[in-house]
Amino acid sequence: MDREAAGAPELRPARAPQDFHFYPMDLYDPEDRLHLFPEEHLQTGREVQAEMTGEPKGAAPRDLEEDVEELVHLYALGDGSEWDAELVDGSSPHLEVWEQRPRMAGAHRDWSLGAEAEAGDRGCAGWGAPAPSRDLREAYRYSHGRASEEYECYVIPEEEDEDEAALVFCVTCKAPVRALEVSDEHREHEVTPLSKALESAKDEIHKNMFKLEKQIIEMENFANHLEEVFITVEENFGRQEQNFESHYNEILETLSQKYEEKIQALGEKKKAKLETLYGQLVSCGENLDTCKELMENIEEMCHEEKVDFIKDAVAMADRLGKFLNTETDVEISAQPDFEDQTLDFSDVEQLMGSINTIPAPSAPVINPQTPNSATGSSVRVCWSLYSDDTVESYQLSYRPMQDSLPGKDPEEFTMTVKETYCSVTNLMPNTQYEFWVTAQNRTGPSPASECVVYMTAPSPPIIKSKEIQSCEEAALICWESGNLNPVDSYTVELTQAETPEPSGVTESVVGIPTCESLVQLHPRQSYTVYVRALNMGGPSARSDPVTIYTTGSCFHLNEHTCHPWLTISEDGLTVVRSERKTLAKEPLPSNTRFTRCVAVMGNLIPIRGRHYWEVEVDERVDYTVGVAFEDVPKQDDLGANCLSWCMRHRFASSRHKYEFLHNKMTPDIRITVSPRKIGILLDYENSKLSFFNADISQHLYTFSCQFYCFVHPCFSLEKPGCLKIHNGIAMPKHVAFY
Amino acid sequence: MALKQISSNKCFGGLQKVFEHDSVELNCKMKFAIYLPPKAETEKCPALYWLSGLTCTEQNFISKSGFHQAASEHGLVVIAPDTSPRGCNIKGEDDSWDFGTGAGFYVDATEDPWKTNYRMYSYVTEELPQLVNANFPVDPQRMSIFGHSMGGHGALICALKNPGKYKSVSAFAPICNPVLCAWGKKAFGGYLGTDQSKWKAYDATHLVKSYPGSQLDILIDQGKDDQFLSDGQLLPDNFIAACTEKKVPVVFRLQEGYDHSYYFIATFITDHIRHHAKYLNA
């Protein structure tokens, strides 16, 4: 730092570590330091630092220590005016740093404000949540923005240091030292060139930066996650509130309605009772008046003349008798006390109860099958509910779809699950199942969802290992489907068995429509091959593996072409003609099977490269070996037409005769040593077919042929004996000359 | 042994040269042709010796056989010596075409007046290889030999008399059993004397019978319309029978319609070069 360089060069060693660590200070105590130094506000500085230790950035504790140290040094100098001057004409890199400070400080403040606001809002149990969540987002954006600014700052001091080439770095003191000064106190210390120290310091810094960056990303992810949780919780509570409110209002309404009804009923009853009582009172009064009147009349009568009295008395007696005959009702017609006024709150209670209950869910929506989600015996069924619904469990039902048995309904299965998905197991492979689901809660079940068809993955295919054909560049792999119903396609997986890593890279050939595939391979490797069958449900398990070696060409004898008198061994590589079989009747002509010529054909991979195989022969046996087109006339001898090229051996009267036959023609060639092993090189590239005595690498003959389509190896035995085919052998070097 | 270059012509990327030198074995100036393939510019190549037939010089093979392309491709140095000493002024050496000049028969003569000059066997098996090995970029460990007619006979006896010295041998219409044919009788009688037992040491069919069985792959091409075949000069059947008995591997190809000429040689020269390349470049 140039400030020190100008002010106190003798202090450089002690101050030096700051050169490597000062940038976080620039970051964390931005404007404070500007004020701090001139105003001798040591305490404030400490506060600022203390605040910063609470920051999530983590680098602060180290800086606190250093900053204090720095301050101690600064104040040991004790001259504030020097610093003022220094700041005025400060070097340009510093200016750059200063310029950024307000921005960064602002960001810092916003961040803490945001955090505070958020904390406050949390206290309010999430009311008005959008605001805090926005703050949250902003806070993170700021923190991220700030992180990028940090990096700009990192770069600047490094450039400064390049000027100090005369320095070395004392590792023990962790301080740069003038090369001349090494003699003194650093004599015993480990010293490295400054540039090296700088490098390692830079590395350290970059490592830390990288760590921080990672931490930032993690924190951002975490914040995003929190945000999502926040929103979900908010929504859920909002919904519940609404729910509660509506229920509450309903209950209140019901209650007030009940109140009205009751009040009205009571009023009516009151009125009726009072009216009755009043009527009784009135009639009672009337009676009383009548009685009084009668009394008065009687009294008046008693004061009358006798004649009048008698006269009136009779009338009075009549009237009295009449009056007394009318009963005087003294019973209180209306019950004065209250009847049992029990209020019926059952419906209210039900309403109250239903605040916690919920409506029965609506029918769930069952998802279509996710591709590649099924196995051979299971499918994973998924569905979804309407967001307003509350569901306690689901009833998942299914039945296999069998179009073959229309009369009989297939068995249905049902299971109860809590989740919105279910892995249904123990199913049949490569089969379609119909699924539907109902949701249910305390209140009741939903209607059933639509029916959706899911399909289990197929059974693994079975590779026909005996029919595999291969050469150095490719292999033809055949398999049986392993499934009764058709599947969509097959995948062939290849693992190079001898790769250094045991895991091995797996290469896949996908979308194969038929039960065979010609795959390109690398020469002289060993491959493990698997096949999977695929349908819309997914891939089957791997088939049993087969191993393919791409050394030489490999083929097997084709039994369909085999003359009945010949027997092919178990491994498909030895052909035998036994003595007794020759007496059997000649078979009928055929297009695929040799009928007259006692021959058999091999299945050679249809690849236009070079193929080499060997045939072990008995010197005394009559045989023919060579190649022929697949459609060679099966009644002809090999070499007797233009569709086959052969080497024929005849052994008669202890002489060997060798012919190289094509279209009944042979060159006149004599061979002094009878081959026991014949090497055959089929070279499509150069249109040649060569024969060798494999044991002594002797070239016998080469045909130049036009192979307009693929040929197959063929073998015939004109007399009892056997031929043993050797394939899968590397092409000998000498055959490369032909 | 100073070499004098007589000619040099570029051919299929390499150089066809003719040199002259003073032969110690033959006591005369001898010419030989040597083809250096392009590969010889950078590394040592195998050497393939060609022995010509009656009346030929080193020129016949290099101008008529058309071997250059195959030799260039396989990287073989091909050396073609003359067929006899020249200008030795021996009485009667130029009297007939099948004895003396141009008819050395690749034997070391033991009879006067031939024995001082007519030492073609030693010349082609010892002196010439040493000269070539010393002066040209050839690998002394890898050499083979082939020839035509009398040269075919020469190639066969050189290989059969020196098991392991030549990696391979081949011949066009070789004189397979000179002891029994007119040419052989005349030449061997002249060069070796009347003791026929000494002749057998230069007779391929006899040599096979005592061949110790070191691996040797012999390729022989024979024109079916070769007049010398029907004249009984070549007698390949005897050689084949001997090889069959001794299990010496031979592929003998009787080529329909071909005669004894260089047209026949040119037709199959590539097969022969390849035959040798297979063993020389293995």
Side-chain angles (χ1 to χ4, degrees), chain A residues 360-503:
Chain A
S362 37
V365 177
I366 192 160
N367 298 354
Q369 185 169 20
T370 313
N372 301 332
S373 61
T375 71
S377 64
S378 72
V379 292
R380 190 185 148 96
V381 187
C382 297
W383 56 89
S384 51
L385 69 162
Y386 283 102
S387 56
D388 294 341
D389 285 346
T390 306
V391 175
E392 272 170 20
S393 64
Y394 298 94
Q395 299 264 315
L396 178 66
S397 307
Y398 65 92
R399 62 165 171 251
M401 292 182 73
Q402 289 174 330
D403 30 38
S404 54
L405 295 165
K408 198 176 134 195
D409 266 355
E411 202 182 343
E412 253 182 57
F413 301 88
T414 299
M415 53 183 67
T416 304
V417 285
K418 293 269 183 199
E419 298 84 6
T420 57
Y421 60 87
C422 181
S423 286
V424 184
T425 53
N426 292 327
L427 303 177
M428 312 241 292
N430 201 35
T431 306
Q432 290 187 318
Y433 287 88
E434 218 174 12
F435 282 89
W436 62 97
V437 66
T438 55
Q440 124 183 342
N441 62 22
R442 242 180 299 173
T443 316
S446 74
S449 70
E450 304 265 299
C451 283
V452 169
V453 173
Y454 276 59
M455 193 166 192
T456 48
S459 294
I462 300 138
I463 300 179
K464 297 178 186 171
S465 52
K466 275 198 178 178
E467 291 180 25
I468 287 176
Q469 303 162 31
S470 68
C471 63
E472 304 235 319
E473 299 87 30
L476 182 67
I477 301 153
C478 313
W479 56 87
E480 281 166 28
S481 168
N483 293 279
L484 294 174
N485 300 327
V487 301
D488 291 353
S489 69
Y490 297 94
T491 300
V492 172
E493 293 180 6
L494 305 159
T495 309
Q496 220 160 306
E498 280 152 29
T499 44
E501 311 96 82
S503 60

Side-chain angles (χ1 to χ4, degrees), chain A residues 659-697:
Chain A
E659 289 173 298
F660 296 88
L661 284 161
H662 173 60
N663 209 11
K664 292 181 185 165
M665 310 262 275
T666 178
D668 190 343
I669 288 178
R670 272 173 258 177
I671 293 163
T672 57
V673 176
S674 295
R676 291 191 180 149
K677 201 185 260 180
I678 299 163
I680 300 169
L681 174 69
L682 168 64
D683 185 351
Y684 282 107
E685 288 160 16
N686 298 303
S687 303
K688 280 180 177 171
L689 177 73
S690 303
F691 294 87
F692 301 87
N693 181 338
D695 289 328
I696 58 170
S697 311

Side-chain angles (χ1 to χ4, degrees), chain A residues 689-729:
Chain A
L689 177 73
S690 303
F691 294 87
F692 301 87
N693 181 338
D695 289 328
I696 58 170
S697 311
Q698 186 185 32
H699 174 247
L700 302 177
Y701 185 71
T702 295
F703 283 105
S704 285
C705 357
Q706 287 306 312
F707 300 122
Y708 55 84
C709 64
F710 292 107
V711 292
H712 293 291
C714 50
F715 312 85
S716 83
L717 282 163
E718 281 75 39
K719 284 185 183 161
C722 96
L723 294 172
K724 192 168 192 297
I725 298 156
H726 295 264
N727 60 29
I729 44 181

Side-chain angles (χ1 to χ4, degrees), chain A residues 23 91 94 116 172 204 290 292 337 434 470 529 635 679 684:
Chain A
Y23 49 85
S91 59
H94 273 104
E116 273 163 28
T172 318
E204 183 72 15
T290 313
K292 277 180 185 168
D337 35 274
E434 218 174 12
S470 68
V529 178
Q635 290 72 249
Y684 282 107

Side-chain angles (χ1 to χ4, degrees), chain B residues 75-192:
Chain B
L76 302 181
V77 172
V78 181
I79 302 109
D82 203 345
T83 52
S84 74
R86 300 274 170 184
C88 296
N89 294 316
I90 298 169
K91 187 170 176 261
E93 69 176 351
D94 296 323
D95 287 359
S96 56
W97 60 272
D98 56 1
F99 188 79
T101 303
F105 265 91
Y106 306 102
V107 299
D108 285 347
T110 53
E111 296 297 304
D112 285 325
W114 312 102
K115 65 181 182 186
T116 44
N117 299 98
Y118 280 74
R119 296 179 53 77
M120 283 301 285
Y121 175 73
S122 291
Y123 176 70
V124 298
T125 57
E126 302 296 337
E127 185 182 5
L128 186 61
Q130 281 169 27
L131 184 74
V132 169
N133 292 346
N135 291 280
F136 299 96
V138 296
D139 178 356
Q141 301 305 315
R142 293 185 287 162
M143 65 178 191
S144 288
I145 192 160
F146 67 148
H148 170 228
S149 190
M150 174 185 77
H153 141 78
L156 289 174
I157 62 162
C158 287
L160 292 169
K161 281 164 79 72
N162 299 280
K165 181 170 182 137
Y166 299 96
K167 299 281 177 197
S168 54
V169 60
S170 73
F172 293 87
I175 303 169
C176 290
N177 197 359
V179 171
L180 295 182
C181 75
W183 283 340
K185 284 174 180 167
K186 181 178 179 183
F188 286 7
Y191 298 132
L192 303 173

Side-chain angles (χ1 to χ4, degrees), chain A residues 272-345:
Chain A
K273 278 198 177 182
L274 288 180
E275 269 173 16
T276 317
L277 286 172
Y278 183 73
Q280 214 173 353
L281 197 61
V282 169
S283 73
C284 213
E286 276 171 9
N287 270 350
L288 208 59
D289 285 348
T290 313
C291 285
K292 277 180 185 168
E293 193 198 301
L294 279 173
M295 281 294 280
E296 273 168 30
N297 283 348
I298 290 164
E299 245 172 79
E300 243 173 70
M301 243 172 26
C302 290
H303 292 293
E304 280 177 16
E305 311 278 305
K306 282 188 185 170
V307 178
D308 286 335
F309 176 77
I310 297 278
K311 215 171 103 187
D312 288 340
V314 175
M316 184 55 66
D318 263 6
R319 215 178 129 189
L320 250 176
K322 246 189 223 167
F323 177 77
L324 286 173
N325 277 346
T326 58
E327 280 175 47
T328 311
D329 188 7
V330 287
E331 289 293 307
I332 296 173
S333 60
Q335 288 289 334
D337 35 274
F338 283 111
E339 285 157 30
D340 187 15
Q341 290 292 343
T342 46
L343 286 171
D344 180 14
F345 279 115

